[in-house]
Amino acid sequence: MTDGPNYGFDTLQVHAGARPDPATGARQTPIYQTTAYVFRDADHAAALFNLQEVGYIYSRLTNPTVAVLQERIATLEGGAGAVCCSSGHAAQIMALFPLMDPGKNVVVSTRLYGGSITQFSQTIKRFGWSATFVDFDDLDAVKAAIDDNTRAIFCESIANPGGYITDIPAIAKISDAAGIPLIVDNTSATPYLCRPIDLGATLVVHSTTKYLTGNGTVTGGCIVDSGKFDWSANDKFPSLSQPEPAYHGLKFHETFGPLAYTFHGIAIGLRDLGMTMNPQAAHYTLMGIETLSLRMQRHVENAETVATWLENDPRVDAVTYAGLKSSPYYDRIATVCPKGAGGLFTFAVKGGYDACIKLVDALEIFSHVANLGDTRSLVIHSASTTHRQLTPEQQDAAGASPNMVRISIGIEDAGDLIADLDQALAKAVS
Ligand SMILES: *Cc1c(COP(=O)(O)O)cnc(C)c1O
């Protein structure tokens, strides 16, 4: 495919970044199952190691199959470049790594995937970094949380475990005014439903494990850079604006312009942290992305149908799906995710914790797993699993209270999903 700026999403999700294999003409992107690449000669090798020429050295840094996926996701997100890595959690560490130093902090939303709350509230402290958690509906509180040591703002577009949509344009205004990047985790929305860069985000991170792969086969992550942030506007980002000692004094921003952050992610991030995506994983994710829009349309359609049914069921106390008119976040759909509020939501079961446990055990089509964004419908009781490490206050703030069940609606027949929920609710709530 020639590069055409006007191709639509459905065309780009199949073609962006890929071309017939130059060696064999293979139409599908081959899995380049190789660790290393032969240099043409010693000068070629030196040029590659100096970043004077772009090419392949070693698969911890770059691999042709992974490179196709990087270009595909960057294109779908409207970014300048992307770096894939081994998981969504790896992507979050990799995203912060060029921005942070010991003593620096990131301002993050309280409404995040449970694992991200733990990663930010506990684990990053080992690097000397810290996170300040704020309710992102309180814009004054977000502004007040930013101090001289803040190096990024982090939130999710449609937040896991569901029902919450971040007002990305409003948060982007705050990050712009503070001269720091806004990082948006777009896992639950995917670029089909939400394009954070168009709404003002600097960086987008993904767990490609979820909807982008879509078939529950491999873990992966991705960081997309908008290419729009001026890393040299102030002295806050020396890894990008100043000579990099881990790369014999190279100034990434001066040398690579809008690709500075992407090149840093590969040349320093992957090289030294080693959280690399393998080419098999990239292959499965490329296969999944080809049908992203078709799946997301069905996920949204089914989620709307099932959420509406649940909302009208007397055994259910509440349904937090932003796609329902009753949701306080319904009005944000038009700007943030105009094609729908995704396939993920929670509902409160009459009978609390015990009823939730009975419900997940009684469901037959829904699988009880710690995953989301699969073609299959999935269910989890967050308070006893993914959000178990959190305090009750953190659980409530994250939308994972003990009486709540999270479901990830698949692409099956909506009628079958409703029938399954109906029989399980009958067993759970007596
Ligand atoms: C799953 C998930 C992550 C973590 O991704 P992994 O691939 O499991 O490491 C981060 N953010 C969100 C929103 C997720 O759903």
Side-chain angles (χ1 to χ4, degrees), residues 215-234:
N215 45 45
T217 46
V218 287
T219 64
C222 186
I223 308 120
V224 183
D225 177 23
S226 62
K228 292 178 183 161
F229 195 84
D230 182 0
W231 304 109
S232 308
N234 52 43

Side-chain angles (χ1 to χ4, degrees), residues 25-348:
R27 178 61 274 207
Q28 185 52 279
T29 300
I31 303 169
Y32 286 90
Q33 197 66 62
T34 183
T35 309
Y37 309 84
V38 178
F39 306 121
R40 288 195 302 272
D41 52 34
D43 284 346
H44 177 222
L48 289 174
F49 274 90
N50 273 341
L51 295 182
Q52 285 157 338
E53 192 179 324
V54 178
Y56 298 102
I57 299 175
Y58 186 64
S59 282
R60 172 156 33 82
L61 290 90
T62 44
N63 172 281
T65 314
V66 178
V68 172
L69 179 61
Q70 288 171 165
E71 195 175 331
R72 179 130 349 140
I73 298 175
T75 304
L76 295 178
E77 287 285 3
V83 182
C84 282
C85 50
S86 52
S87 70
H89 267 9
Q92 291 172 191
I93 296 295
M94 289 265 302
L96 290 174
F97 185 64
L99 314 176
M100 303 289 276
D101 268 309
K104 306 305 180 206
N105 69 70
V106 52
V107 170
V108 305
S109 171
T110 47
R111 296 177 182 89
L112 294 183
Y113 172 69
S116 303
I117 295 177
T118 309
Q119 188 185 47
F120 290 144
S121 64
Q122 305 298 331
T123 303
I124 63 168
K125 286 190 209 156
R126 309 275 185 98
F127 304 141
W129 309 347
S130 64
T132 310
F133 286 85
V134 190
D135 175 356
F136 271 39
D137 279 345
D138 185 345
L139 299 179
D140 290 333
V142 176
K143 279 181 215 158
I146 298 170
D147 64 25
D148 286 347
N149 288 321
T150 303
R151 290 295 175 270
I153 297 182
F154 187 100
C155 62
E156 295 178 9
S157 47
I158 299 176
N160 182 340
Y164 180 76
I165 296 175
T166 305
D167 186 350
I168 299 174
I171 301 293
K173 254 192 215 150
I174 296 174
S175 64
D176 283 351
I180 52 176
L182 170 61
I183 308 173
V184 176
D185 181 340
N186 202 29
T187 299
S188 305
T190 82
Y192 182 68
L193 299 181
C194 174
R195 299 237 306 177
I197 291 172
D198 292 348
L199 301 173
T202 310
L203 303 166
V204 175
V205 294
H206 275 283
S207 167
T208 60
T209 314
K210 313 290 170 53
Y211 290 106
L212 291 185
T213 304
N215 45 45
T217 46
V218 287
T219 64
C222 186
I223 308 120
V224 183
D225 177 23
S226 62
K228 292 178 183 161
F229 195 84
D230 182 0
W231 304 109
S232 308
N234 52 43
D235 58 5
K236 288 185 172 167
F237 305 101
S239 295
L240 294 156
S241 63
Q242 299 302 308
E244 170 59 62
Y247 224 101
H248 45 71
L250 184 79
K251 289 187 184 175
F252 276 85
H253 193 205
E254 190 182 286
T255 309
F256 300 114
L259 284 171
Y261 184 91
T262 301
F263 273 66
H264 192 281
I266 294 168
I268 307 285
L270 290 180
R271 187 192 68 175
D272 297 343
L273 299 176
M275 301 165 166
T276 307
M277 177 181 278
N278 67 73
Q280 283 279 349
H283 167 72
Y284 284 114
T285 305
L286 280 166
M287 299 291 277
I289 280 190
E290 293 183 351
T291 58
L292 180 63
S293 64
L294 308 176
R295 286 184 288 109
M296 293 315 292
Q297 283 161 17
R298 178 64 77 89
H299 283 298
V300 167
E301 199 182 296
N302 279 357
E304 286 172 353
T305 306
V306 174
T308 304
W309 180 82
L310 283 169
E311 191 176 43
N312 291 312
D313 193 286
R315 296 162 295 187
V316 172
D317 276 330
V319 182
T320 60
Y321 181 54
L324 293 172
K325 288 208 178 66
S326 58
S327 165
Y329 302 106
Y330 183 78
D331 291 343
R332 289 187 184 165
I333 293 177
T335 27
V336 178
C337 47
K339 294 202 185 80
L344 198 64
F345 61 89
T346 60
F347 62 97

